[in-house]
């Protein structure tokens, strides 16, 4: 969900029992939001300035503590409300799925006519009010070393990711940290220093660990690394490699269905193996192990769009929950999107959503065309000033021109890179193509944060802030702006938020993205293909065909009583298979 888009989502939805994740990548944004909400709620506010000791971690802690305080206040107020049709108290229960025992109890209360019995049921409902979790995200790749005023590197605990973790660990929130974008051994080692990640005597955790993974092997490897440190992964969050928002970490052609199947078959073995390592590590630290195996959830997200898909994933694969991100960008009650960008999202078609190269990290990035961030980027280039001023420096990665890494979207990098390109004496067409790749990089630190600046009128020059946004391809099937109740009802099959555009099953949508990804990779490497690249493309191709074969067998389970659905999905699988075979044949002919 980027930086700003869910930065204050807990303040919007936690009181309804809905959990959400906010990013800790941008401490400046966290500090600005703390100032904004402190003023709004007339609470004391003392700025934490960049020249103060450990300011990054302290900003994280201060903002999370404020959010925790405000959410707890909301819950107290909620418990004192009456069960009127338009109250937040009633909304809490009407948002629940129809299968929820609490919703059944709520409906029973509404139908009860005896005053004393009705009051007793209302008190029982109030006792079950639980806020949604205020979870946080740390993108493990964003872990630059920071420097003192004199230019000396600070100790490793002051790096971006470690400072963010420390800020979360020292906060009052009892929630989870979500690690995404792969392993960071320094970060994982730092977890050991905080008792809040260790179980108490009853096996409960003050703060939990969630790892976002792309496949089973990643879960096993990372889970074992942490278990050997006496740290328990409370949830493996499986995300589609390409059918997701933000940075896209493609697998080697492994599709979501087969990945979920591997988790389904090995879930208990994974939990048992990790538990054995976990207990041994705790014993080695003279710490008691929980009497029972701790809970370990398996969840999935990325491209889910219908109640049928949501239910199938839970029932067939046994996942504990599904995650929905992109559709909630269209829900102002849940996400923080400025009005112009919100309208762009509401009107976006499939061709407006693309897998871009705009990320300075060099990782494919799902983006929306025509944003104000994109317009500003190209306007700067046309006026002879390509690149962005680099203020926050969270995405610095290149040491090509400087001893200290700089960002490839920065003015400093792009000016030098273009000068280098000009010195090569390339043909005009080749130069233009290579120059376009350089100026395509976009300042995500500012672009992904500016929506909150605009929406809340934060900063003296809020009107000049340009926005970048990162919806997944699934947005193409949702048009309009929705209420929270409508989007939640859509998830549970009580409302239809889809537009009239034909929407294939989520597995087909992801398959098509992977077929296109493979074809583009093949086209890029064909002229200079090495043996290593050839093996990679071949393995990728074989994995896609294996995924198609798996889905062919799965069709009756997906569309149990829908013959048209079975025929349609089978034809779509044949089409993808034909594309792969034709593209492979064309490649062999060319060679």
């Amino acid at each position: 969900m980027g930086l700003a888009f869910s930065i204050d989502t807990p303040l919007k939805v936690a009181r309804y029992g809905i959990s959400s994740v906010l990013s800790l990548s941008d401490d400046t944004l966290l500090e600005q939001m703390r100032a904004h909400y402190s003023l709004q709620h007339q609470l004391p506010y003392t700025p934490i300035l960049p020249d103060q000791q450990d300011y990054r971690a302290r900003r994280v802690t201060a903002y999370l503590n404020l959010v925790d305080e405000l959410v707890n206040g909301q819950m107290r107020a909620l418990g004192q409300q009456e069960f009127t049709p338009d109250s937040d108290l009633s909304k809490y229960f009407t948002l629940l799925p129809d299968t929820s025992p609490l919703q059944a109890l709520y409906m029973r209360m509404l139908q009860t006519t005896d005053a004393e019995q009705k009051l007793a049921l209302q008190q029982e409902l109030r006792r079950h009010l639980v806020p949604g979790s205020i979870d946080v995200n740390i993108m493990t790749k964003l872990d630059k070393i920071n420097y003192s005023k004199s230019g000396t590197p600070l100790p490793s605990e002051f790096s971006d990711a470690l400072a963010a973790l420390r800020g979360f660990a020292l906060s009052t929130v009892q929630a989870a940290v979500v690690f995404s974008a792969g392993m960071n051994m320094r970060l994982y080692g730092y977890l050991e220093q905080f008792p809040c990640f260790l179980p108490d005597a009853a096996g409960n955790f003050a703060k939990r660990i969630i790892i976002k993974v792309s496949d089973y092997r990643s879960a096993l490897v990372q889970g074992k690394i942490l278990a050997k440190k006496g740290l328990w992964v409370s949830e493996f969050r499986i995300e589609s490699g390409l059918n997701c928002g933000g940075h896209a970490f493609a697998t080697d052609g492994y599709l979501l269905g087969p990945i979920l199947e591997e988790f389904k078959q090995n879930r208990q073995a994974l939990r048992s193996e990790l538990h054995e390592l976990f207990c041994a590590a705790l014993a080695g630290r003279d710490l008691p192990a929980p009497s029972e195996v701790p809970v370990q959830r398996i969840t999935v997200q990325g491209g889910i769009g219908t109640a049928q898909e949501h239910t199938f994933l839970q029932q067939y694969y046994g996942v504990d929950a599904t995650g929905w991100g992109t559709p909630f960008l269209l829900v102002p009650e849940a996400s923080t999107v400025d009005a112009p960008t919100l309208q762009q999202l509401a009107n976006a078609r499939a061709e407006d959503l693309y897998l871009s190269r705009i990320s300075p990290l060099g990782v494919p990035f799902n983006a929306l065309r025509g944003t104000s961030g994109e317009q500003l980027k190209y306007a700067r280039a046309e006026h002879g000033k390509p690149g962005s001023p680099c203020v926050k420096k969270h995405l610095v990665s290149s040491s090509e021109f400087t001893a200290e890494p700089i960002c490839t979207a920065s003015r400093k990098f792009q000016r030098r890179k273009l000068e280098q390109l000009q010195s090569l004496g390339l043909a005009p067409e080749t130069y233009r193509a290579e120059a376009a790749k350089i100026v395509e990089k976009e300042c995500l630190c500012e672009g992904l944060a500016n929506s909150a600046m605009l929406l809340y009128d934060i900063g003296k020059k809020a009107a000049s802030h340009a926005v970048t946004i990162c919806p997944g391809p699934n947005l193409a099937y949702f048009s309009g702006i929705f209420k929270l109740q409508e989007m939640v009802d859509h998830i549970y099959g009580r409302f239809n938020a889809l537009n009239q555009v034909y929407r294939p099953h989520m597995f087909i949508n992801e398959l098509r993205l992977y077929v296109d990804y493979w074809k583009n990779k093949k086209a890029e490497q064909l002229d200079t293909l090495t043996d290593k690249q050839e093996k990679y493309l071949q393995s990728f191709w074989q994995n896609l065909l294996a995924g198609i074969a798996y889905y062919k067998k799965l069709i009756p389970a997906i569309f149990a009583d829908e013959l048209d659905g079975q025929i349609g999905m089978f034809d779509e699988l044949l089409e993808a298979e034909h594309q792969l075979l034709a593209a492979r044949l064309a490649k062999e002919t060319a060679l």
Side-chain angles (χ1 to χ4, degrees):
M1 294 285 281
L3 300 176
F5 311 117
S6 62
I7 196 67
D8 57 346
T9 295
L11 295 175
K12 299 178 179 184
V13 304
R15 64 182 177 274
Y16 302 121
I18 300 174
S19 298
S20 60
V21 182
L22 64 90
S23 172
L24 300 184
S25 296
D26 189 345
D27 59 276
T28 300
L29 176 62
L30 297 175
E31 182 68 4
Q32 290 169 320
M33 295 303 294
R34 184 169 73 92
H36 169 74
Y37 277 107
S38 295
L39 177 63
Q40 185 180 98
H41 292 274
Q42 299 181 322
L43 296 172
Y45 168 74
T46 302
I48 300 173
L49 303 176
D51 60 356
Q52 296 176 354
Q53 177 70 15
D54 203 18
Y55 74 93
R56 179 169 167 76
R58 290 174 56 206
R59 284 176 166 182
V60 170
T61 300
Y63 181 64
L64 293 178
N65 286 350
L66 175 64
V67 173
D68 193 36
E69 177 185 350
L70 294 176
V71 168
N72 287 332
Q74 290 174 349
M75 295 306 295
R76 287 192 295 271
L78 192 70
Q80 296 172 4
Q81 291 181 6
E82 297 297 326
F83 283 90
T84 56
D86 59 347
S87 71
D88 281 348
L89 182 59
S90 294
K91 190 173 183 178
Y92 183 101
F93 296 101
T94 59
L95 286 170
L96 293 170
D98 295 339
T99 54
S100 167
L102 269 185
Q103 194 189 71
L105 187 65
Y106 172 73
M107 297 304 297
R108 179 182 160 198
M109 181 275 295
L110 291 180
Q111 296 164 6
T112 299
T113 56
D114 180 83
E116 186 175 345
Q117 187 179 4
K118 193 180 192 73
L119 182 61
L121 290 172
Q122 290 179 347
Q123 291 302 103
E124 177 69 13
L125 288 168
R126 287 189 174 93
R127 282 193 291 270
H128 283 88
L129 293 173
V130 177
S133 186
I134 307 169
D135 296 334
V136 303
N137 170 250
I138 295 178
M139 189 173 175
T140 59
K141 289 184 180 295
L142 303 186
D143 192 22
K144 69 175 173 64
I145 292 294
N146 290 304
Y147 295 80
S148 66
K149 290 182 179 179
S150 63
T152 305
L154 294 172
S156 62
E157 61 263 30
F158 295 101
S159 71
D160 278 7
L162 270 64
L165 178 63
R166 181 166 61 257
F168 170 67
L170 298 178
S171 72
T172 58
V173 297
Q174 294 193 350
V177 57
V178 182
F179 293 125
S180 63
M183 289 185 288
N184 180 332
M185 295 304 293
R186 180 172 65 183
L187 180 64
Y188 285 1
Y190 194 51
L191 279 165
E192 294 181 82
Q193 298 192 21
F194 300 102
C196 59
F197 294 109
L198 298 173
D200 61 17
N204 299 314
F205 298 84
K207 288 181 170 63
R208 293 168 287 111
I209 299 169
I210 296 174
I211 298 183
K212 190 182 289 188
V213 296
S214 56
D215 56 32
Y216 179 79
R217 180 180 178 277
S218 176
L220 178 61
V221 170
Q222 294 187 75
K224 288 171 70 173
I225 289 171
L226 292 173
K228 289 176 181 179
K229 298 177 184 296
L231 298 166
W232 184 253
V233 179
S234 295
E235 178 182 332
F236 289 108
R237 187 164 292 180
I238 307 161
E239 182 175 64
S240 169
L242 292 178
N243 198 11
C244 60
H247 286 93
F249 296 90
T251 66
D252 293 344
Y254 297 106
L255 300 174
L256 188 59
I259 290 169
L260 289 170
E261 183 67 39
E262 189 170 10
F263 272 94
K264 177 182 177 180
Q265 298 300 327
N266 296 289
R267 178 173 183 172
Q268 293 306 318
L270 172 67
R271 188 180 177 210
S272 297
E273 183 175 358
L274 296 184
H275 181 247
E276 183 177 345
L277 295 171
F278 171 68
C279 290
L282 290 176
R285 297 173 62 177
D286 293 326
L287 295 171
S291 57
E292 297 183 2
V293 182
V295 172
Q296 188 170 83
R297 286 159 49 93
I298 304 294
T299 62
V300 61
Q301 63 188 42
I304 306 167
T306 68
Q308 188 269 345
E309 290 172 354
H310 162 79
T311 302
F312 175 78
L313 293 169
Q314 289 189 310
Q315 294 182 350
Y316 186 82
Y317 293 110
V319 299
D320 297 289
T322 63
W324 294 62
T326 287
F328 280 94
L329 290 172
L330 298 172
V331 182
E333 291 174 76
S335 57
T336 300
V337 184
D338 60 287
T341 306
L342 179 60
Q343 199 57 56
Q344 283 183 298
L345 291 171
N347 297 334
R349 297 168 296 179
E351 55 267 33
D352 300 318
L353 306 161
Y354 73 115
L355 191 62
S356 75
R357 298 177 180 177
I358 69 174
S359 172
L361 295 179
V363 178
F365 188 80
N366 275 308
L368 174 69
R369 299 184 194 277
T371 61
S372 53
E374 181 184 80
Q375 294 170 23
L376 177 61
K377 172 182 65 179
Y378 288 126
R380 284 171 171 164
E382 289 173 7
H383 286 85
K385 294 183 177 181
S388 306
C390 191
V391 178
K392 297 180 178 178
K393 304 182 187 301
H394 296 308
L395 301 181
V396 296
S397 60
S398 175
S399 301
E400 184 175 355
F401 302 110
T402 55
E404 184 179 331
I406 58 176
C407 180
T408 58
S410 69
R411 186 165 296 164
K412 189 174 185 179
F413 176 87
Q414 292 194 7
R415 183 180 68 249
R416 297 187 184 189
K417 193 66 177 176
L418 288 169
E419 289 172 353
Q420 180 190 72
L421 191 65
Q422 289 172 343
S423 70
L424 299 179
L426 302 173
E429 185 176 335
T430 303
Y431 172 81
R432 285 193 294 271
E434 294 302 314
K437 294 178 184 178
I438 295 170
V439 301
E440 186 178 16
K441 302 302 180 186
E442 201 162 310
C443 178
L444 301 185
C445 292
E446 296 289 350
L448 294 177
N450 283 339
S451 191
M453 305 297 101
L454 286 165
L455 190 62
Y456 300 133
D457 194 23
I458 298 173
K460 295 180 180 179
K461 298 181 180 179
S464 67
H465 288 307
V467 174
T468 303
I469 198 162
C470 50
N474 201 32
L475 183 75
Y477 307 106
F478 295 86
S479 298
I481 299 170
F482 300 94
K483 298 177 181 178
L484 178 63
Q485 184 82 53
E486 290 174 333
M487 191 58 72
V488 171
D489 283 351
H490 173 79
I491 294 172
Y492 297 133
R494 303 182 297 230
F495 178 81
N496 180 27
L498 295 177
N499 55 29
Q500 297 303 307
V501 176
Y502 170 67
R503 183 185 180 280
H505 190 274
M506 60 177 288
F507 288 160
I508 296 295
N509 281 329
E510 187 202 45
L511 170 62
R512 290 176 174 175
L513 291 169
Y514 267 101
V515 170
D516 288 343
Y517 184 86
W518 178 81
K519 289 163 68 176
N520 290 335
K521 281 287 185 184
K522 179 179 72 70
E524 290 172 3
Q525 299 174 357
L526 187 59
D527 293 336
T528 58
L529 198 63
T530 65
D531 288 343
K532 183 178 180 180
Q533 290 170 333
E534 168 70 14
K535 289 179 182 178
Y536 166 77
L537 290 172
Q538 174 67 12
S539 175
F540 200 115
W541 182 80
Q542 289 175 335
N543 290 335
L544 288 180
L545 288 180
I548 291 173
Y550 170 84
Y551 285 144
K552 286 180 180 178
K553 295 179 181 178
L554 191 66
I555 287 176
I558 296 175
F559 296 101
D561 300 315
E562 302 175 43
L563 183 59
D564 288 345
Q566 292 185 25
I567 294 172
M569 186 170 182
F570 188 78
D571 288 344
E572 288 163 340
L573 290 171
L574 288 181
E575 179 188 356
E577 188 175 48
H578 174 74
Q579 287 187 41
L580 286 170
L581 294 172
R584 179 67 182 173
L585 180 62
K587 171 182 173 294
E588 291 172 348
T589 303
L591 292 176

